[in-house]
Amino acid sequence: QVQLVESGGGLVQAGGSLRLSCAASGRTFSSYDMGWFRQAPGKQREFVSAIWWSGGSVYYADSVKGRFTISRDNAKNTVYLQMNSLKPEDTAVYYCAAKTSHIGFSSRYEYNYWGQGTQVTVSS
């Protein structure tokens, strides 16, 4: 089992940047694929980005491609989401998630563990 704690959210103006972190407990972090999802008020939780257990493959939603960068440090049990050129439509609660299966990456149903979320608000 793994516990996930997100941090780094906040209020930022459009065009600004934030870096989200997700710290994981447990000794098997390096075996999990990790993902970031977000949920805006009144909307479904949507895929943002994912990174393979080894860091060898990364994936992005089209809406964030070229602006967001996912990375991980297995020695620190942490996954990051660097968000640049933020837009008001990026406003949402951002969730970190972990999955044991190495099949798929964009469906929330593929993920076994979730953090509590961190709020990101982008003002225009």
Side-chain angles (χ1 to χ4, degrees):
Q1 186 140 358
V2 61
Q3 292 184 323
L4 305 172
V5 179
E6 302 97 334
S7 61
L11 173 65
V12 64
Q13 287 189 331
S17 298
L18 283 174
R19 189 195 197 200
L20 304 184
S21 298
C22 173
S25 66
R27 294 174 289 179
T28 58
F29 173 76
S30 60
S31 68
Y32 292 98
D33 296 338
M34 300 297 296
W36 287 97
F37 288 74
R38 66 187 182 186
Q39 189 167 15
K43 294 189 176 182
Q44 298 255 3
R45 191 170 299 190
E46 64 175 4
F47 169 75
V48 175
S49 183
I51 186 167
W52 247 218
W53 62 275
S54 63
S57 294
V58 297
Y59 303 92
Y60 298 97
D62 288 343
S63 59
V64 307
K65 203 170 292 184
R67 300 188 297 121
F68 291 10
T69 303
I70 191 171
S71 61
R72 67 189 296 162
D73 186 337
N74 286 343
K76 295 183 178 180
N77 281 13
T78 303
V79 63
Y80 305 97
L81 186 68
Q82 177 67 42
M83 306 187 295
N84 298 330
S85 302
L86 283 161
K87 304 175 181 180
E89 51 263 45
D90 294 318
T91 295
V93 177
Y94 282 71
Y95 296 91
C96 172
K99 65 183 184 72
T100 55
S101 167
H102 300 309
I103 299 172
F105 58 88
S106 62
S107 170
R108 59 181 175 167
Y109 302 107
E110 295 165 341
Y111 290 79
N112 310 97
Y113 306 104
W114 292 84
Q116 83 289 348
T118 185
Q119 177 71 47
V120 171
T121 303
V122 184
S123 63
S124 57

